[in-house]
Amino acid sequence: MSVHSGQTLDANHVDTNSLPWFPYAEGVHMQLVKANPVSGEFIVMFRAKPGSSLGIHCHHGTVIAYNLQGHWRYTEHDWVAGPGSVIYEPANSVHTFVAEPGDDDIVIFIIINGVIEFRDDQGNMIFIETWKTMQERYLAFCNEQGIEPVDVTKF
């Protein structure tokens, strides 16, 4: 346990079974596990249908991903992540996610530091995803579905 700015901080537990999966892109759903308004870090569970993709994007900070299920790759690389793979993405990584064909959904635990900049095929920015925009997606989905949201910013 530590004290920060007069507030006692300690480890905390998140039961992901209490968090809804919300649609993110075609064939892709997310669970927002944690969002840190101070550091900009957010943690998600990412689930994608085989064959789905997520457009080209640039991470402004580091990303650590642990693959739990299924196989996927970045079109810009020659490796394929499978169960047990750990992917480290340095700041300014640019890539395009593609879920490999198969029977299993892809499930990944991801820690994202900073913003994600999505780009079009010409490299122009389409939109920026942050801890705040991800939280807004989560809260809007909860509201639409009549689900009581969990405060994922609480520490």
Side-chain angles (χ1 to χ4, degrees):
M1 187 180 323
S2 66
V3 176
H4 178 70
S5 300
Q7 177 185 9
T8 301
L9 302 176
D10 200 358
N12 78 37
H13 167 265
V14 177
D15 178 5
T16 57
N17 293 317
S18 68
L19 300 171
W21 288 93
F22 56 92
Y24 189 75
E26 187 171 340
V28 177
H29 286 76
M30 300 265 195
Q31 273 183 322
L32 181 57
V33 177
K34 259 317 186 193
N36 187 327
V38 176
S39 70
E41 178 182 78
F42 54 110
I43 302 170
V44 298
M45 292 293 293
F46 177 99
R47 184 177 70 206
K49 295 286 181 198
S52 63
S53 64
L54 197 57
I56 190 165
H57 56 279
C58 173
H59 294 279
H60 290 208
T62 58
V63 174
I64 299 170
Y66 178 71
N67 193 66
L68 296 161
Q69 179 179 297
H71 294 85
W72 60 275
R73 62 187 172 85
Y74 290 138
T75 58
E76 298 81 5
H77 298 283
D78 60 2
W79 49 262
V80 175
S85 293
V86 173
I87 311 304
Y88 175 82
E89 302 172 12
N92 295 316
S93 297
V94 179
H95 42 251
T96 309
F97 169 88
V98 177
E100 293 288 292
D103 296 330
D104 292 332
D105 282 357
I106 288 72
V107 179
I108 314 167
F109 173 82
I110 308 173
I111 302 169
I112 303 160
N113 288 289
V115 304
I116 307 169
E117 177 184 325
F118 284 87
R119 299 177 177 173
D120 65 17
D121 292 338
Q122 291 74 44
N124 300 309
M125 185 195 55
I126 300 170
F127 72 94
I128 298 279
E129 193 76 78
T130 68
W131 73 270
K132 183 69 173 166
T133 59
M134 189 65 77
Q135 181 190 39
E136 289 167 355
R137 288 175 186 266
Y138 163 68
L139 293 174
F141 179 78
C142 288
N143 186 51
E144 290 167 7
Q145 301 298 313
I147 299 169
E148 183 66 33
V150 174
D151 182 359
V152 296
T153 65
K154 183 178 176 188
F155 284 89

